[in-house]
């Protein structure tokens, strides 16, 4: 074992940044490239990764500490021979690249009075960063260096300032877009009294005014000098990982009160906000939920270029009563709307023969009557899906830009109908659990869901979801994918049907399956194969052993 120093890697032109989050503590085992702390300047926050795997021996920074390139972050015990403190190894360039990147923000001489193009300045090694917030709209007047958008990689988020003063004529990006250095962000109607050009840095072309190209040759300054007076345009303070966590839960960060340094929002704040929403304690409605509720409430639609939602005075036609939807309905509505619109989803319907399985389930329940654990078809479906996910791993993946993340865990969500609306608790590591354990956990989670007591952790991390209406009825339906998952299985009520065996019709218990899948990731043939294989397993569970 050896003790090594882990220091802040090259963070570019940042002079000093503040430690705003400690993500590890002494005794924690860390992986190479795992984030250790989050630091923040006035324009960007970034996570500092570990250059080695090991166990944290001692933290050398505290919350609020100022650090810069080379500052000692912590002492790490790593596997190896050297018994003394080793020199700190620089973090792998790939891992620190985002941290180094936020240095660049455009500040170019906007002297044109005609249209001015504002582009993504030099953002270091960042590639394909996602636009997570747009702070201005067409018609807004912006000052030089006023933040226009926020972009985010998996390790850092940063605000991109305007390289000119003027009035926004046209925004060229939208939420979720991936941008790179040089991409056009907005067209400004420049003003003659724009700030003079700051000292030029050689890097990226920040501004190009087509009409007067010569007058506006490229110029970029480092954002480390962005004046403190730059308006903070409502972006909640939170690290990229907290933002990601909030997005996964559909939590509107701008409504979460931060308990961290300088009001920073932490993981715990997001969790307690979610709990408050679930328990009904939060009175203000999530803005995203309000957004989602708009179409149904009579507005909206214009964002997609659609005709407006019909506004009807129903009272003209008869008596009515107006009731607010539950908070859960509003929040899940926002997620469902996004998933329904953004995913090119296709549903395959199929039937499978569960005659033997149902007989086995009934006899198992009879034998175990005293145990108090009742096994339902859903527990078998979870196990059968795990087997199918193992055989067809793309169904257990998620899209990440142009790449697929194949999960090597099998966390299966199941839709639960509750008085407050639909919730999706998750059976973690279903591959490692038996039918009884899954049934027990499902019962507990479903009860918690109905009582509004599910924790965010119990609802997150699913890699595939099953929605069973089998206890209620119906034939088939088209479930909406629970993004970022790429497929969901809908199950309806099994019925006894005559099935031709080649010689005669036999009475067989048939289970209707509806598999919805993301066509960006999965092909129709793969979906058909998945359903066929699932049906084979449910028809004869011994196939899992093959
Ligand atoms: N075919 C026939 N009968 C079925 C069946 C199926 N596919 N699935 C369940 N049943 C039977 C059960 O065996 C049970 O019968 P008994 O009471 O006679 O034993 C009965 O239906 C009720 O089962 P259940 O619904 O209590 O249990 P479950 O494990 O099947 O489901 C849960 C649990 C939490 C998923 C379910 O209660 C629920 O909330 N379902 C609704 C999910 C939903 O809303 N989906 C839609 C999402 S899209 O908007």
């Amino acid at each position: 074992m050896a003790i090594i120093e882990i220091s802040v890697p090259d963070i570019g032109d940042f002079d000093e940044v503040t430690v705003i989050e400690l993500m590890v503590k002494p005794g924690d085992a860390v992986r190479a490239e795992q984030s250790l702390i989050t630091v923040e300047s006035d324009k960007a926050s970034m996570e500092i990764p570990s250059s080695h795997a090991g166990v944290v021996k001692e933290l050398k920074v505290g919350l609020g500490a100022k650090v810069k390139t080379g500052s000692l972050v912590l002492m790490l015990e790593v596997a190896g021979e050297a018994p003394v403190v080793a020199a700190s190894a620089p973090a792998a360039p790939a891992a620190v690249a985002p941290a180094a990147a936020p240095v660049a923000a455009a500040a170019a001489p906007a002297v044109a009075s005609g249209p001015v193009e504002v582009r993504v300045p030099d953002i270091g090694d960042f590639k394909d960063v996602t636009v997570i917030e747009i702070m201005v709209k067409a018609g807004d007047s912006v000052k030089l260096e006023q933040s226009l958008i926020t972009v985010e990689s998996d390790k850092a988020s940063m605000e991109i300032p305007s390289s000119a003063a003027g009035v926004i004529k046209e925004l060229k990006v939208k939420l979720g877009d991936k941008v790179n250095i040089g991409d056009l962000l907005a067209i400004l109607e420049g003003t003659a009294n724009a700030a003079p050009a700051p000292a030029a840095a050689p890097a990226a072309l920040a501004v190009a005014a087509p009409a007067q190209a010569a007058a506006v040759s490229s110029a970029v300054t480092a954002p480390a000098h962005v004046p403190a007076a730059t308006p903070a345009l409502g972006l909640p303070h939170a690290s990229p990982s907290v933002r990601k966590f909030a997005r996964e839960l559909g939590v509107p960060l701008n409504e979460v009160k931060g308990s961290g340094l300088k009001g920073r929002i932490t993981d715990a704040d997001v969790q307690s906000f979610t709990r408050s929403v679930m328990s009904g304690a939060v009175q203000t409605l999530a803005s995203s939920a309000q957004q989602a509720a708009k179409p149904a409430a009579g507005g909206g639609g214009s964002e997609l270029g659609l005709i407006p939602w019909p506004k009807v005075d129903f009272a003209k036609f008869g008596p009515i009563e107006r009731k607010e939807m539950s908070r859960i309905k509003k929040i899940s509505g926002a997620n469902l709307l996004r998933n329904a619109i953004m995913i090119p989803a296709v549903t395959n319907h199929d039937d499978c023969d569960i005659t033997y399985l149902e007989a086995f389930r009934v006899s198992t329940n009879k034998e175990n009557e005293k145990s108090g654990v009742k096994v339902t078809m859903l527990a078998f479906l979870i196990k059968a899906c795990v087997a199918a996910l193992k055989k067809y791993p793309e169904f257990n993946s998620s899209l990440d830009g142009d790449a697929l993340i194949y999960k090597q865990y099998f966390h299966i969500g199941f839709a639960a109908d509750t008085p407050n609306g639909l919730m999706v608790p998750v059976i973690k590591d279903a591959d490692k659990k038996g039918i009884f354990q899954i049934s027990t956990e499902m019962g507990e989670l479903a009860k918690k869901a109905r009582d509004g007591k599910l924790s965010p952790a119990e609802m997150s991390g699913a890699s595939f979801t099953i929605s069973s209406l089998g206890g209620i009825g119906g034939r088939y339906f088209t479930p909406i994918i629970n993004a970022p998952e790429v497929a969901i299985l809908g199950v309806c009520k099994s019925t006894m049907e005559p099935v031709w065996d080649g010689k005669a019709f036999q009475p067989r218990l048939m289970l209707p399956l509806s598999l919805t899948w993301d066509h960006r990731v999965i092909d129709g043939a793969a979906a058909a194969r998945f359903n066929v294989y699932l049906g084979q397993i449910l028809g004869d569970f011994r196939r899992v052993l093959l």
Side-chain angles (χ1 to χ4, degrees):
M1 287 293 173
I3 308 280
I4 63 164
E5 295 176 342
I6 301 291
S7 307
V8 176
D10 180 4
I11 49 172
D13 289 354
F14 276 103
D15 278 347
E16 262 192 345
V17 285
T18 308
V19 177
I20 54 154
E21 193 178 4
L22 302 173
M23 298 156 112
V24 292
K25 57 182 183 331
D28 282 358
V30 297
R31 300 181 309 277
E33 301 201 356
Q34 179 176 332
S35 298
L36 303 174
I37 58 172
T38 308
V39 296
E40 187 186 58
S41 73
D42 58 344
K43 280 283 160 198
S45 65
M46 72 195 85
E47 292 172 14
I48 302 291
S50 180
S51 52
H52 290 71
V55 174
V56 177
K57 292 306 287 179
E58 196 186 342
L59 274 170
K60 293 291 191 183
V61 289
L63 280 180
K66 301 276 184 202
V67 294
K68 54 188 178 193
T69 301
S71 298
L72 185 57
V73 176
L74 54 78
M75 308 300 290
L76 193 73
E77 188 172 64
V78 297
E81 295 303 311
V84 290
V85 172
S88 92
V96 300
V103 295
V111 293
S113 58
V116 176
E117 290 183 350
V118 178
R119 292 179 180 273
V120 177
D122 181 2
I123 48 174
D125 288 348
F126 274 99
K127 297 247 157 37
D128 291 334
V129 285
T130 309
V131 177
I132 58 160
E133 184 172 52
I134 296 181
M135 297 144 136
V136 290
K137 56 182 184 326
D140 283 359
S141 291
V142 294
K143 297 201 213 64
L144 174 71
E145 297 196 348
Q146 178 175 333
S147 298
L148 300 179
I149 61 168
T150 307
V151 294
E152 183 184 70
S153 74
D154 58 342
K155 289 274 174 216
S157 62
M158 73 188 103
E159 294 172 19
I160 304 283
S162 180
S163 51
V167 175
I168 306 245
K169 296 308 283 178
E170 203 181 338
L171 271 172
K172 293 290 192 184
V173 287
K174 55 185 185 324
L175 283 181
D177 278 0
K178 305 271 185 206
V179 294
N180 286 291
I181 176 172
D183 284 354
L184 184 59
L185 295 181
I187 297 182
L188 257 60
E189 197 69 71
T191 56
N193 57 358
L205 177 69
V207 169
Q212 289 163 273
V216 290
S217 58
S218 65
V220 177
T221 60
H225 311 299
V226 171
T230 301
L233 279 154
L235 180 70
H237 276 279
S239 69
S241 55
V242 171
R243 287 178 188 287
K244 190 160 171 261
F245 182 49
R247 274 204 303 279
E248 280 169 7
L249 295 179
V251 167
L253 265 188
N254 57 342
E255 298 195 15
V256 179
K257 198 164 164 12
S259 64
L261 203 69
K262 288 195 268 164
R264 199 160 182 87
I265 299 166
T266 64
D267 260 8
D269 295 330
V270 174
Q271 286 185 358
S272 73
F273 179 88
T274 313
R275 253 180 250 120
S276 314
V277 172
M278 298 301 174
S279 63
V282 168
Q283 294 305 310
T284 52
L285 297 175
S287 56
S288 60
Q290 287 172 326
Q291 262 325 99
K294 269 185 193 166
S302 57
E303 302 88 348
L304 297 170
L306 306 174
I307 56 169
W309 193 260
K311 205 159 170 52
V312 178
D313 178 10
F314 300 103
K316 273 200 321 204
F317 304 106
I320 57 164
E321 183 193 357
R322 185 187 160 87
K323 275 189 185 170
E324 276 297 309
M325 289 203 295
S326 73
R327 287 179 179 81
I328 289 173
K329 272 222 158 105
K330 287 174 183 169
I331 289 174
S332 62
N335 285 290
L336 290 166
L337 178 63
R338 180 201 57 203
N339 300 347
I341 289 171
M342 291 184 65
I343 301 174
V346 183
T347 306
N348 283 31
H349 302 289
D350 210 343
D351 296 309
C352 68
D353 184 342
I354 57 163
T355 315
Y356 296 130
L357 185 57
E358 176 62 6
F360 176 65
R361 188 188 74 84
V362 170
S363 69
T364 305
N365 277 339
K366 212 166 257 170
E367 281 164 25
N368 291 279
E369 228 161 1
K370 289 199 185 100
S371 74
V373 182
K374 195 177 119 188
V375 172
T376 64
M377 192 48 70
L378 189 50
F380 287 103
L381 280 161
I382 288 176
K383 277 311 258 188
C385 281
V386 168
L389 293 171
K390 282 183 176 171
K391 192 168 167 79
Y392 300 103
E394 67 268 37
F395 287 80
N396 203 44
S397 74
S398 282
L399 265 171
D400 181 23
D402 289 337
L404 277 184
I405 308 290
Y406 287 90
K407 288 151 220 165
Q408 282 152 18
Y409 52 84
F410 299 89
H411 300 340
I412 311 296
F414 65 96
D417 183 29
T418 81
N420 289 324
L422 179 67
M423 310 208 65
V424 185
V426 181
I427 303 278
K428 302 268 163 61
D429 296 315
D431 55 320
K432 301 187 180 112
K433 294 175 181 165
I435 295 287
F436 283 117
Q437 192 180 348
I438 290 176
S439 298
T440 309
E441 269 185 40
M442 236 166 49
E444 289 165 0
L445 288 169
K447 180 169 182 334
K448 274 190 177 181
R450 284 192 288 269
D451 296 346
K453 290 192 175 143
L454 275 181
S455 71
E458 286 166 328
M459 288 184 286
S460 42
S463 53
F464 182 84
T465 293
I466 303 179
S467 176
S468 172
L469 294 173
I472 305 169
R475 286 296 282 174
Y476 305 98
F477 67 115
T478 52
I480 293 174
I481 294 169
N482 195 15
E485 293 154 47
V486 295
I488 180 168
L489 181 72
V491 183
C492 282
K493 196 175 178 67
S494 56
T495 50
M496 200 52 97
E497 285 171 30
V499 176
W500 185 251
D501 71 357
K503 291 187 192 117
F505 282 104
Q506 301 293 346
R508 308 297 298 175
L509 188 63
M510 302 303 288
L511 181 72
L513 304 174
S514 303
L515 180 73
T516 301
W517 39 280
D518 185 335
H519 212 335
R520 293 171 299 179
V521 177
I522 293 159
D523 297 329
R529 282 190 199 105
F530 185 98
N531 265 352
V532 167
Y533 183 64
L534 192 61
Q536 286 171 344
I537 291 171
L538 292 167
D540 186 348
F541 242 84
R542 291 173 302 182
R543 283 177 185 275
V544 171
L545 304 170
L546 298 178

